[in-house]
Amino acid sequence: MARERQHQPRALSRRSLLGGAAAAAGAVTLTGTAAGPASAASTRDVDVAVVGGGLAGLTAARDLVAGGRTVAVLEARDRVGGRVVNLPLANGGFSEGGGEFIGPTQDRIKALADSLGVATFTTYNTGKNLLYKDGKKTPYATDGILGSVPPIDAAGLANAAIVQASLDDMAKQVPVDAPWTAAKAAEWDKQTFESWLNAHAVIPSAKFLLDVACTSIFSAQPRELSLLFVLFYIAAAGNESNPGTLERLTDTANGAQESRFVGGSQQVPIKLAATLGDRVVLSAPVHSIARSGGKYLVTADGITVTAKKVVVAVPPPLAGRIVFDPLLPASRDQLGQRMPMGSIGKAIAVYDSPFWRADGLNGQVVSDSGVVRSTFDNSPPDASYGALMGFIEADEMRAHDASGVDEVKAAVLKDYAAYFGDKAKSPTSFVLQRWDNEGFSRGGPVAYAPPGVLTEYGAALRKPADGIHWAGTETSTYWNGFMDGAVRSGERVAKEVLAAL
């Protein structure tokens, strides 16, 4: 019988908070460092307290230490990584339960991984993709004239190409450091992405492609997103030398899903935390941050830290659950109230081998139905076993947040069988990670902005509140929502804090 594993958050008190926030959560503990839970009622006095032991918080701590400052990192979970986690499998292997892929122009996460000795390998992309639409399977090559675009009807392809070009052109007009200052910011921020798509993606098959792209990128429906936020996100899918494009967000080869990390993505925060040693305190959810006598008192489970400055490296909606004294500026608090997390889960079915490869398939699916509408081959580099990973996103995830693991498993395997045949019905094990139900994330991969938020409150994203500074992938100008954005935010906030001390 296949073994199932569902990672559950520990019970939280009413005022306890979180601590991951770089980029996605599970149950693997930090190993190879002196980090650990705080001893009963311990205290520390440091230059900077960092709330959150994800990639953003750990990167900030690394740079602050390099700048000669003392640091304490308070992480709510019993592991580091935040929204980046390796899930153990019954066969002794693992699969990534959160942030997983990196690609071109994601320079900072690559540089960090290189510095820690974490190598990458190419995401399996040999063979054909599958389009599953209207109950029909259509294999298609990704290296032909259409590239990775699914083979819908000619009118739909033409319409989708026009829409994509329009989005890329509009995105070029959005400053990544201040999208609310774009010349058409007010016009774009007052409408949803769906309302704009309805006016421009007029061929149903084109609308299908753009809808799938939206849920795959944001884990939210087009009706939930501000058009300005979508344009900013596209603009942010690049670096200082390469403008962002929608294609780079969605593609595997030459795109954001091009590579994976040897040993799993959580190797990066684990090894980074190891360089910080006992500066990292686990199982320490922060309850309150209070200013007193020119310093800040940061109170967490089992530990109290006094600091000159505080870096809060958690998503805006979760940062708002900390009690601040004095109160945060209203604009910052209102921002947190208005930026929800996306809804996402990852379902990994494990097999003796990646059997779909023998059929000439690369394991990647785009579908118009089912609980899982996009999949990847998550097998290890040596193909010693097969792993199919499916994203459960937006409405589909919300519909199954309260479902039992067996119910979700049955729905997922039904989809996998429709895509890859009867062999997919019988995995040797099955792992499910539901971020909506993860207590220190409550969703993923990113907190997004509905209409009206960026133009009214966006300026509060990175603006310090006296000695409190903000990090996390949501604050990044490039690769917002990705691991690279988390690292960039940590580097930026460390410079900011060092200059202020």
Side-chain angles (χ1 to χ4, degrees):
M1 180 177 176
R3 185 176 120 185
E4 294 111 30
R5 183 183 180 96
Q6 166 72 37
H7 292 276
Q8 297 286 0
R10 71 178 66 187
L12 304 179
S13 64
R14 180 174 62 89
R15 293 173 59 188
S16 70
L17 200 230
L18 49 319
V28 179
T29 59
L30 170 67
T31 59
T33 83
S39 58
S42 63
T43 60
R44 295 192 190 184
D45 189 356
V46 296
D47 292 324
V48 185
V50 178
V51 180
L55 282 169
L58 294 172
T59 298
R62 175 203 63 180
D63 290 359
L64 289 165
V65 170
R69 297 296 179 172
T70 57
V71 173
V73 180
L74 303 177
E75 167 55 48
R77 298 178 175 93
D78 61 359
R79 61 166 185 84
V80 295
R83 286 166 276 173
V84 177
V85 66
N86 290 350
L87 304 179
L89 302 176
N91 63 8
F94 64 87
S95 192
E96 297 91 340
E100 174 175 351
F101 303 106
I102 70 166
T105 75
Q106 295 188 7
D107 312 308
R108 302 317 304 153
I109 180 65
K110 183 63 166 60
L112 173 60
D114 287 348
S115 73
L116 296 168
V118 182
T120 60
F121 67 99
T122 302
T123 302
Y124 190 80
N125 199 36
T126 301
K128 293 184 177 181
N129 282 26
L130 276 179
L131 170 66
Y132 188 85
K133 191 172 186 297
D134 301 323
K136 178 184 177 183
K137 291 191 293 187
T138 304
Y140 64 98
T142 61
D143 56 359
I145 189 171
L146 297 178
S148 60
V149 179
I152 56 173
D153 57 277
L157 286 172
N159 187 200
I162 292 171
V163 170
Q164 178 173 317
S166 296
L167 289 169
D168 286 346
D169 287 343
M170 293 159 68
K172 291 175 183 176
Q173 304 172 46
V174 177
V176 292
D177 59 341
W180 47 89
T181 66
K184 295 184 178 181
E187 174 187 339
W188 291 339
D189 203 31
K190 70 181 180 182
Q191 60 185 301
T192 65
F193 185 39
E194 182 172 56
S195 64
W196 186 88
L197 282 179
N198 287 341
H200 294 84
V202 294
I203 305 298
S205 56
K207 179 66 160 53
F208 154 69
L209 288 184
L210 273 298
D211 283 348
V212 170
C214 177
T215 53
S216 297
I217 294 167
F218 301 102
S219 298
Q221 302 295 144
R223 67 175 184 271
E224 300 175 291
L225 301 162
S226 158
L227 173 61
L228 178 62
F229 180 75
V230 171
L231 296 175
F232 156 70
Y233 215 78
I234 294 170
N239 59 17
E240 292 78 1
S241 304
N242 299 275
T245 66
L246 179 59
E247 186 176 30
R248 191 177 293 124
L249 277 171
T250 58
D251 276 1
T252 300
N254 300 313
Q257 287 69 234
E258 184 174 75
S259 300
R260 297 168 60 197
F261 288 109
V262 176
S265 51
Q266 199 189 4
Q267 285 295 309
V268 179
I270 286 174
K271 291 192 173 186
L272 179 54
T275 69
L276 295 168
D278 63 3
R279 297 180 184 91
V280 180
V281 182
L282 303 180
S283 301
V286 170
H287 306 296
S288 63
I289 300 173
R291 189 176 63 205
S292 176
K295 288 193 173 186
Y296 288 89
L297 195 66
V298 182
T299 304
D301 280 3
I303 186 170
T304 299
V305 176
T306 302
K308 299 172 185 175
K309 302 288 183 182
V310 179
V311 171
V312 178
V314 299
L318 299 182
R321 299 180 185 182
I322 301 172
V323 176
F324 291 88
D325 182 15
L327 295 174
L328 292 177
S331 59
R332 173 68 201 196
D333 191 74
Q334 292 284 321
L335 175 78
Q337 293 181 46
R338 285 166 168 77
M339 288 188 73
M341 302 298 290
S343 295
I344 186 171
K346 293 178 80 172
I348 299 100
V350 180
Y351 304 89
D352 289 333
S353 66
F355 61 85
W356 50 92
R357 297 183 184 181
D359 296 327
L361 301 176
N362 62 17
Q364 296 175 44
V365 172
V366 174
S367 176
D368 67 348
S369 60
V371 63
V372 168
R373 302 192 180 190
S374 63
T375 67
F376 282 86
D377 182 331
N378 259 36
S379 308
D382 62 2
S384 55
Y385 59 88
L388 281 175
M389 183 274 288
F391 286 108
I392 310 174
E393 301 184 282
D395 283 350
E396 283 68 47
M397 187 68 265
R398 289 187 283 261
H400 288 84
D401 281 339
S403 301
V405 177
D406 287 344
E407 183 180 348
V408 178
K409 177 184 176 183
V412 168
L413 295 184
K414 179 180 178 182
D415 291 340
Y416 289 0
Y419 305 150
F420 300 107
D422 285 348
K423 289 182 181 178
K425 294 179 180 179
S426 304
T428 58
S429 63
F430 180 82
V431 181
L432 177 65
Q433 174 68 33
R434 289 188 278 193
W435 288 100
D436 295 19
N437 295 344
E438 163 51 56
F440 296 124
S441 293
R442 300 319 304 262
V446 66
Y448 62 85
V453 174
L454 286 181
T455 49
E456 191 68 27
Y457 305 105
L461 259 173
R462 291 180 294 275
K463 185 178 180 180
D466 291 326
I468 299 172
H469 299 253
W470 310 102
T473 192
E474 285 84 2
T475 70
S476 186
T477 53
Y478 287 106
W479 287 108
N480 191 286
F482 289 75
M483 291 184 286
D484 189 73
V487 174
R488 288 174 183 271
S489 78
E491 294 173 340
R492 184 264 309 159
V493 82
K495 293 177 183 176
E496 186 179 286
V497 170
L498 287 171
L501 281 169

